[in-house]
Amino acid sequence: MVLPQLYRTWHWRQDHLELFDLSTALQKNNTDFYAWLGVEPTATTAEISKAHRQLVLKLHPETSAEPAEKFEITNKVAYMLRTPQLRSVYNDILQQGHLPFFKGVFYYYTRYKLVCMGILICVAVTLLDYLKAWEKYFTEKITIEQFILNAKSMAQKMSAKHASAKTHKSFIDLGDRTLNCEITEAKEIFILNEKNERVPLTVAHILPMPSIWDTLLMRIPKKYMFP
């Protein structure tokens, strides 16, 4: 259901967006396009044109005391009902009982430009931060993989004095942090996590993969909403 709706919004023109605005305005007055012209929803184009001509004569600003806005609305309503594509969209609105949930990016951008610009900037900053996190991850991953190979190689070359012990405790200096580790009698290396649990010395246990929730703009609401 979502993809077909997005596909439809891609083809909507300015006329469609004006239709949504006009439909919303008339709904507030508990009326619709057909009731405004005084025709049935099944009216033909000829019947709509006839009703339009009769109504504009009554509402023309030069001969009527009615607000000029009513004259403009009448012209717009008639135009939309005489245009097959617009009438089809409007009939769908009447059938569903509400406007489309998503009216297209252009609709929201033209009406809430500052809000949309703010959202786009936030998305761009978040994606940039996320990409930088992945770049840092792959750079550190190469370093840590080499470090693990060296650590395992050194464990295999442990002196007989150290090897005589069932478990040898040491530490691994990663530059920005130090990990406590244990080297077993079988020359296997384990690190101690924050819960003091023994886990194998692997990249996954040392370097977590980047998450979109760890980007700057995501950390701010996360900090205050989920302390």
Side-chain angles (χ1 to χ4, degrees), residues 2-101:
V2 176
L3 290 179
Q5 180 64 29
L6 291 176
Y7 178 77
R8 289 186 66 189
T9 62
W10 184 260
H11 296 278
W12 282 343
R13 309 185 307 272
Q14 182 65 30
D15 290 344
H16 292 83
L17 308 185
E18 291 179 358
L19 183 149
F20 298 146
D21 288 337
L22 185 56
S23 176
T24 301
L26 293 186
Q27 282 180 355
K28 292 179 180 179
N29 294 324
N30 297 319
T31 187
D32 58 52
F33 289 4
Y34 296 104
W36 183 272
L37 291 180
V39 298
E40 296 294 328
T42 56
T44 63
T45 302
E47 292 172 335
I48 291 172
S49 296
K50 180 180 178 180
H52 171 239
R53 287 194 300 270
Q54 294 174 347
L55 193 55
V56 293
L57 289 176
K58 295 179 181 179
L59 298 176
H60 198 284
E62 295 181 357
T63 59
S64 173
E66 294 287 345
E69 182 184 8
K70 288 188 175 182
F71 179 78
E72 296 174 359
I73 290 175
T74 301
N75 287 329
K76 289 181 179 179
V77 166
Y79 165 74
M80 292 174 181
L81 292 183
R82 286 192 300 233
T83 305
Q85 291 180 338
L86 296 178
R87 185 175 183 179
S88 176
V89 172
Y90 184 69
N91 286 340
D92 288 342
I93 293 174
L94 291 181
Q95 184 177 4
Q96 296 172 8
H98 58 81
L99 293 172
F101 176 74

Side-chain angles (χ1 to χ4, degrees), residues 170-200:
S170 183
F171 66 91
I172 300 175
D173 186 5
L174 297 177
D176 60 338
R177 55 193 168 129
T178 301
L179 300 176
N180 293 320
C181 66
E182 293 181 355
I183 304 175
T184 66
E185 188 177 8
K187 308 297 177 61
E188 295 177 335
I189 305 176
F190 293 87
I191 59 174
L192 301 179
N193 60 18
E194 296 177 352
K195 298 180 180 180
N196 208 34
E197 298 172 337
R198 291 174 57 188
V199 293

